[in-house]
Amino acid sequence: MNNKIKYLASAMMVAAFGATFTACDDWTEPESIDINQGSVDKAENYPAYLESIRKYRESDHKQVYAWVNLNENGPIGQSERLTALPDSIDVIVLSTPTKIHPTVLADMNTVREQKGMKVIYQIDFDALKAKYTTLCENVAKERSDLELEYAALINAAETEEEKAALAEELDSKLEDIVAPVIEDFILANLTESLSYAKDNNLDGAMFAFDGKASNHLTEKELAEYKAQQLVFLGAARDWHKRNPELAYDFLGIPQNVSDKELLNEFGMLFIRQGLSATNVNLYTYYLTLAQTEGVPVERLGMMTTYTSNDPDDTATGMFSDGTLALDNFAKWLQSHDVACVGIQNVQNDYFNPQNPFSHVRAVIQAANPNIK
């Protein structure tokens, strides 16, 4: 903790010298000062500031992860520039990493090399299952259409021999139109997704797995669930063993993982249920649920989110009383201990002319308060 205070104090002194070109009225921790006019990185004290940021990164503090959704065609404004994010964010999580624009790749290198941030990406089990469900629906439709086509042909055939030949031809074609076994599908898609890390020079991956409460599953359902869980989390664990230098974190509902040993090697374990909290007591409730036998509770983190940029989505990031989830989460952090915090939709908090990312910064400061 003393090291943390020392590094924060150093950053405060550096920032004080550069107060004339920053937008921070009350500098209490390392924050982004490169979101203004572009002259900051040329200031005389900027290298010292960056050094203090990198030292802060190595100090004892609660890790802050920021999820961002980026346009594959490139940033549409400063809100989508990784270099504009608050500097005291430790890890940036890309929600859609398949195509990373060159501008984003350049920003990744900047925040990593200059500020010591990490940039990882999310791989979601539920997204893979949804993709598989869509595939199965398409296969079923293709089979149905083919059967209807051949039913008409068979009905129009004049001889029994022609009918039999058409029926045999239909059976042959149907054999080629089948959905893969779900475990094979998950493994194939996961293998492709895992290649993105090195292809894009990313620092690691966030594996999202909500799973199921297994208490009421039938024996068959439980066996299927465990098989899918092992394929996804087992393959993730094998990838981690082959790439131990890369970050390896978990997002989901930890208590739903039936084989808790699959959780042991993860760095941080984020509780995804926090994203749907509609009052502050639910953060405590979800944290309590996750603190079960076998879950590494010392690495548990809570998720929250800023509002959506979809005008039709009025629920995301809002409590039932009409207040912002982020503001309530910041207050909750003052009296609850977690190893890390995760914030989704971070880029949407940029649009405050007086103080960009003001709500995100409040959460960061609540997680790592500066002792004055």
Side-chain angles (χ1 to χ4, degrees):
M1 181 61 73
N2 288 336
N3 286 338
K4 172 185 170 184
I5 297 171
K6 177 179 68 176
Y7 297 142
L8 291 175
S10 173
M12 289 169 64
M13 287 189 293
V14 171
F17 285 117
T20 58
F21 50 75
T22 69
C24 298
D25 297 325
D26 181 17
W27 203 282
T28 56
E29 60 177 328
E31 292 291 3
S32 178
I33 61 176
D34 60 356
I35 62 176
N36 295 320
Q37 303 302 321
S39 61
V40 174
D41 58 355
K42 297 180 177 63
E44 183 179 350
N45 66 337
Y46 192 61
Y49 171 77
L50 292 177
E51 178 63 21
S52 71
I53 287 293
R54 291 191 293 270
K55 288 184 177 179
Y56 166 73
R57 204 76 68 207
E58 299 169 0
S59 68
D60 181 19
H61 66 282
K62 288 184 174 63
Q63 297 285 298
V64 177
Y65 285 57
W67 271 251
V68 295
N69 301 308
L70 299 178
N71 190 326
E72 65 179 32
N73 295 320
I76 60 175
Q78 191 72 356
S79 67
E80 294 189 357
R81 296 297 299 271
L82 303 187
T83 51
L85 294 172
D87 293 336
S88 42
I89 288 170
D90 296 284
V91 182
I92 299 169
V93 185
L94 304 181
S95 301
T96 52
T98 53
K99 294 181 181 179
I100 301 180
H101 191 271
T103 300
V104 177
L105 288 172
D107 283 356
M108 283 170 45
N109 291 332
T110 296
V111 298
R112 180 163 45 214
E113 294 170 8
Q114 294 189 3
K115 304 175 183 179
M117 290 181 180
K118 290 182 179 180
V119 183
I120 67 175
Y121 68 117
Q122 180 172 313
I123 302 174
D124 199 312
F125 173 79
D126 287 340
L128 288 180
K129 284 201 68 175
K131 187 177 178 181
Y132 180 76
T133 298
T134 300
L135 173 63
C136 290
E137 291 171 351
N138 292 338
V139 166
K141 185 178 186 307
E142 186 177 355
R143 289 176 64 91
S144 176
D145 290 345
L146 187 64
E147 287 171 343
L148 288 173
E149 177 187 344
Y150 269 81
L153 292 173
I154 292 171
N155 187 55
E158 296 181 354
T159 66
E160 291 301 320
E161 289 79 4
E162 291 176 335
K163 293 180 185 292
L166 286 167
E168 185 177 347
E169 185 177 317
L170 171 62
D171 289 341
S172 177
K173 289 186 177 182
L174 287 175
E175 288 178 359
D176 296 329
I177 308 174
V178 292
V181 176
I182 185 171
E183 290 82 7
D184 293 341
F185 177 85
I186 291 172
L187 185 58
N189 280 265
L190 183 56
T191 300
E192 179 183 355
S193 296
L194 289 172
S195 69
Y196 300 153
K198 291 191 174 180
D199 289 349
N200 294 298
N201 195 28
L202 292 158
D203 297 303
M206 175 76 62
F207 294 89
F209 181 86
D210 287 352
K212 299 178 181 179
S214 57
N215 298 359
H216 304 293
L217 297 179
T218 66
E219 186 174 338
K220 180 181 178 182
E221 290 171 336
L222 182 59
E224 292 174 348
Y225 168 59
K226 286 184 175 181
Q228 294 170 21
Q229 170 187 266
L230 182 59
V231 168
F232 184 78
L233 294 179
R237 181 177 58 185
D238 291 343
W239 172 83
H240 171 60
K241 288 179 178 178
R242 295 193 304 273
N243 303 278
E245 75 282 4
L246 298 181
Y248 177 63
D249 298 306
F250 175 91
L251 169 67
I253 306 177
Q255 65 270 25
N256 281 354
V257 177
S258 57
D259 183 357
K260 298 297 189 293
E261 289 187 4
L262 292 169
L263 297 174
N264 289 342
E265 296 178 21
F266 282 106
M268 299 298 175
L269 298 99
F270 289 93
I271 302 169
R272 180 146 59 175
Q273 292 158 300
L275 295 172
S276 61
T278 54
N279 64 74
V280 73
N281 293 326
L282 285 175
Y283 292 129
T284 306
Y285 175 66
Y286 295 142
L287 179 60
T288 302
L289 287 179
Q291 294 172 331
T292 59
E293 184 179 356
V295 173
V297 295
E298 71 280 1
R299 302 201 299 276
L300 281 176
M302 184 60 68
M303 293 294 301
T304 188
T305 181
Y306 193 63
T307 57
S308 170
N309 59 6
D310 180 355
D312 295 326
D313 182 358
T314 58
T316 297
M318 300 297 297
F319 273 9
S320 55
D321 62 1
T323 58
L324 282 172
L326 252 64
D327 293 346
N328 288 281
F329 186 66
K331 297 175 183 177
W332 181 82
L333 283 172
Q334 295 172 10
S335 56
H336 293 82
D337 188 29
V338 289
C340 47
V341 297
I343 311 170
Q344 286 196 354
N345 290 330
V346 167
Q347 72 280 355
N348 295 341
D349 190 31
Y350 177 82
F351 301 101
N352 183 333
Q354 284 72 42
N355 190 8
F357 301 111
S358 58
H359 303 285
V360 169
R361 292 175 191 274
V363 170
I364 293 171
Q365 186 170 339
N368 294 292
N370 179 33
I371 302 176
K372 299 181 180 180

